[in-house]
Amino acid sequence: MTDSNGTAKASPGAMPRSSGAPKPGGSIQPPKPHATPGQTQHPHPVVPTTSDPSAWGRVDDDGTAWVKTADGERQVGSWQAGDAAEGLAHFGRRFDDLATEVALLEARLAAGADARKTKAAAVALAESLPTAAVIGDIDGLAKRLAAIAEHSEEAAAHAKEEKDKARHEHTERKETLCAEAEKIAAESTQWKAAGDRLREILDEWKSIRGVDRKVDDALWKRYSKAREAFNRRRGAHFAELDRERASAKTRKEELCVRAEELSGSTDWVGTAGIFRDLLAEWKAAGRAPREADEALWRRFKSAQDVFFAARNAAVTERDAEFDTNASAKEELLQAYEHIDPANGLEAARASLRELQDKWDAIGKVPRERMQELEGKLRAIEKRVRDAVDAQWRRTDPEAMARAAQFRERVAQFEEQAAKAQAAGKARDAEKALEQAKQWREWAEAAEGAVTNR
């Protein structure tokens, strides 16, 4: 060990070296910096320093230790614990320890550690060099420490720039998140997705650091205000939805009661129409609370199914009856297809009345058979009706009366002609005969018209 003046008081033996210290006889090389994104590497090469103490100093036979510097030799201590070679090695090891500290500072600077602290440590080491009790390239260490101090300023400026850039980016990111939250609060109606997104924004918000405290507080107030506005709007929406669902439940209960009242109706057409209207009202009523809505629908549909099942059964029965009626009418038409007015008009008319009475008594037929069967009946009716019309035209009482009147006028004019002839009034007799001739022609024409119908 040595005292504060570097005088060795006891033989230290083999002193352990720092893990980062160079081996004796080698040169001290600073660690190569590993540049990281946004970080400037050391711009100047480091001047290597050798750890061979004999190149940088000596220990006299009396134990006085000297180190060479650019300013000349300087006494650094006294060695009294052994021979001069041991003393030289001792002061060389102390230099190696100092060089290791410098190398660690270079590594810290290259790794982007706190430049301000690195510079302070380098300055403190540089200030200690003029009185350091070591033998080695002290001038080389001084240059390295000066380079560390110089580039610490650059690193600090760069770190500040990077910090400001990061603060700006983080601020912008939080402003973007605020704007998104405010947009969600004002516009979104996708309540679950929007709520999930607001929670994601909060998680991301917590991960963003380095924003100015006042700015961060202002942005947080904006986000909180937006989230509260969204929660209020969502709460109001669901409160209104609950009111609407309660109203829908009441309305659907009323529709269920109405449907159950109609389920036993046998007015198939009218009630089916009412059920269609009730179903439209059901859809317009909106949704009731889920469990109640499902139970009410089952109740409504059950009443509806009762009615339509009964109607379908009645329709099936009616269709079977109509099919039977159609077959009966087919048989009836075959039985009366012999009706022929030419064989006796009155008999034909009597047969047609029988056919019509039996036809009406049979009842309805399927809609798709109605036109066919009615057409066959109408053909028979037309045949009889045409014969009746023809007979009427032939025996028209008015036409026969007119013909008889014409004959009476003929007789009257012939009688006048005879009286005038007897009275010697030939001219009056001739005139009466001419009028009788005219009326006879009209009488014959009237009689011919009736006969030729």
Side-chain angles (χ1 to χ4, degrees), residues 89-403:
H90 166 74
F91 287 105
R93 286 192 297 271
R94 294 190 65 176
F95 175 83
D96 288 344
D97 292 340
L98 191 60
T100 298
E101 292 187 46
V102 175
L104 290 174
L105 291 176
E106 290 171 334
R108 287 179 58 188
L109 180 63
D114 188 336
R116 182 178 59 80
K117 292 182 178 179
T118 302
K119 179 182 178 181
V123 170
L125 278 178
E127 290 175 349
S128 71
L129 289 181
T131 59
V134 298
I135 297 178
D137 186 6
I138 292 178
D139 292 333
L141 285 185
K143 291 179 180 179
R144 288 169 63 185
L145 289 170
I148 291 172
E150 176 186 351
H151 296 302
S152 292
E153 294 287 347
E154 295 177 7
H158 180 72
K160 183 179 184 302
E161 180 182 346
E162 290 296 314
K163 185 176 181 180
D164 291 343
K165 180 181 178 181
R167 179 184 293 110
H168 178 70
E169 291 174 351
H170 294 168
T171 301
E172 283 190 338
R173 182 56 189 151
K174 284 196 172 183
E175 287 176 345
T176 301
L177 292 175
C178 275
E180 183 183 356
E182 289 166 344
K183 183 177 178 64
I184 289 173
E187 301 176 6
S188 181
T189 56
Q190 302 296 320
W191 306 113
K192 184 179 185 308
D196 291 343
R197 178 54 188 154
L198 285 175
R199 284 189 290 274
E200 291 171 0
I201 289 175
L202 179 59
D203 292 339
E204 185 174 352
W205 187 285
K206 293 177 179 178
S207 69
I208 301 173
R209 302 184 182 279
V211 179
D212 180 78
R213 179 68 176 271
K214 289 184 178 179
V215 174
D216 198 42
D217 289 344
L219 291 174
W220 173 252
K221 289 178 181 178
R222 282 178 60 190
Y223 168 78
S224 298
K225 183 179 179 181
R227 183 174 60 177
E228 291 170 3
F230 172 78
N231 289 337
R232 285 196 302 272
R233 196 161 61 86
R234 179 175 60 180
H237 166 77
F238 283 106
E240 178 62 24
L241 191 61
D242 287 342
R243 287 191 292 272
E244 291 176 357
R245 287 179 174 174
S247 177
K249 179 183 177 183
T250 300
R251 180 58 186 143
K252 287 185 173 182
E253 287 173 344
E254 294 171 354
L255 293 173
C256 283
V257 172
R258 180 65 176 141
E260 289 164 348
E261 291 173 349
L262 292 170
S263 63
S265 174
T266 55
D267 178 9
W268 310 123
V269 176
T271 305
I274 295 174
F275 265 112
R276 284 193 295 271
D277 294 341
L278 292 180
L279 183 58
E281 291 184 44
W282 183 280
K283 293 178 180 178
R287 289 187 61 85
R290 183 172 181 177
E291 292 184 2
D293 201 59
E294 292 175 354
L296 287 169
W297 171 248
R298 288 193 297 270
R299 181 179 167 188
F300 178 84
K301 191 172 186 304
S302 177
Q304 182 178 249
D305 289 346
V306 168
F307 168 76
F308 283 104
R311 188 193 70 165
N312 292 341
V315 169
T316 300
E317 183 179 352
R318 183 201 63 187
D319 289 345
E321 178 185 348
F322 284 4
D323 287 337
T324 301
N325 293 347
S327 298
K329 287 191 175 183
E330 282 277 11
E331 295 175 358
L332 189 63
L333 289 169
Q334 292 174 4
Y336 284 86
E337 66 181 356
H338 65 279
I339 295 177
D340 186 1
N343 295 329
L345 182 57
E346 290 303 320
R349 294 176 68 181
S351 296
L352 178 59
R353 283 193 294 272
E354 289 179 7
L355 170 59
Q356 291 171 331
D357 291 342
K358 292 178 180 179
W359 185 277
D360 293 338
I362 289 174
K364 296 181 179 180
V365 298
R367 184 183 298 273
E368 63 273 12
R369 298 291 311 278
M370 187 180 299
Q371 184 175 0
E372 169 202 352
L373 295 172
E374 291 289 340
K376 292 179 179 180
L377 175 64
R378 297 293 173 259
I380 297 174
E381 290 175 339
K382 184 177 184 303
R383 192 160 64 235
V384 175
R385 186 173 60 252
D386 289 347
V388 171
D389 290 344
Q391 183 188 42
W392 181 84
R393 285 194 299 271
R394 287 192 300 270
T395 60
D396 184 356
E398 293 183 2
M400 294 299 291
R402 283 195 299 272

